[in-house]
Amino acid sequence: PGTPGRGERDQTTFTYRMTPSVEITLPNDWRLDLAYNYFYEEGSNTQRAQNVSPVRLQDALNGVGGQNRNQRFNPFGTALTNPARANPEDLLLFITPEQISIAETQYETLDGVLAGELPFLELPGGEIGFAVGAQSRRERFEQDLDPLILGYAAAGGFLGDRASVSGPSPERRQQVTAAFAELALPVLDTLELSLAG
């Protein structure tokens, strides 16, 4: 939404999610659960804020501003007395360019759990329950910050046109693998001991 002095913002987000799973019944009432989860989100944010680009402003003060590189910015208030000396609208848009950022988030997980009761071991409270499982998870986050502004700055021999985007575009990845095992020991009808790791 537009806020006073901050311009307009346009945000678009696409999200995709897929979660297939299957439960397999095995002999002796054992079961195997398998699940896969995939998530992908892409979002773009375009905002024309009232933040002046220092590189573009300097070019405009030097007379090489605007899309055709032939406009000069008038920093004085002479437009109040002579409207012909007002800065053209396209030059004002040139020195306050749109800020564009594109972000991608992606993760996928694969889960497997095998559970049942051990038929060859029995305690006074009943059969021993056993479960084992594993998960593999991959995550990725990538963000491109202001490609138009950074490209303009690079062409002018600068790296970073605005303090908020002076750093490199972040990209992060991680992979996590986990596993567990659990025993349910029915010591008595009214007492059960659980061991897990």
Side-chain angles (χ1 to χ4, degrees):
T3 55
R6 297 301 297 171
E8 296 290 329
R9 173 178 293 182
D10 181 23
Q11 287 183 287
T12 305
T13 303
F14 295 97
T15 303
Y16 306 92
R17 185 189 305 269
M18 177 177 61
T19 313
S21 62
V22 61
E23 180 179 310
I24 303 171
T25 301
L26 301 174
N28 299 321
D29 292 330
W30 281 69
R31 72 177 187 278
L32 175 65
D33 296 326
L34 298 173
Y36 174 75
N37 182 32
Y38 177 82
F39 173 87
Y40 176 82
E41 182 175 88
E42 178 180 302
S44 64
N45 178 37
T46 302
Q47 181 178 13
R48 185 178 295 280
Q50 302 305 312
N51 294 330
V52 173
S53 160
V55 175
R56 293 187 179 205
L57 176 60
Q58 186 62 56
D59 283 352
L61 289 170
N62 292 337
V64 289
Q67 297 302 322
N68 297 322
R69 309 291 295 213
N70 62 355
Q71 292 178 296
R72 183 179 300 277
F73 179 73
N74 178 6
F76 306 104
T78 51
L80 298 175
T81 57
N82 185 355
R85 296 194 176 194
N87 291 301
E89 180 69 20
D90 60 336
L91 180 60
L92 297 177
L93 294 177
F94 173 79
I95 65 173
T96 57
E98 291 181 332
Q99 301 177 55
I100 301 172
S101 64
I102 300 173
E104 291 185 6
T105 304
Q106 176 183 343
Y107 71 79
E108 54 184 336
T109 61
L110 180 62
D111 294 273
V113 177
L114 177 66
E117 294 180 337
L118 300 177
F120 51 87
L121 291 175
E122 190 169 343
L123 296 176
E127 293 183 332
I128 296 175
F130 176 73
V132 63
Q135 179 190 80
S136 177
R137 183 174 76 248
R138 293 191 301 175
E139 301 176 8
R140 178 179 69 88
F141 173 78
E142 185 174 348
Q143 186 175 32
D144 292 324
L145 300 174
D146 283 359
L148 295 179
I149 295 176
L150 291 175
Y152 178 90
F158 300 91
L159 180 60
D161 187 39
R162 187 170 295 155
S164 62
V165 294
S166 58
S169 297
E171 181 180 357
R172 301 289 182 264
R173 296 174 184 266
Q174 74 172 0
Q175 182 162 351
V176 180
T177 303
F180 79 93
E182 182 176 3
L183 280 174
L185 305 171
V187 180
L188 301 171
D189 289 340
T190 57
L191 177 64
E192 183 176 274
L193 178 64
S194 293
L195 299 176

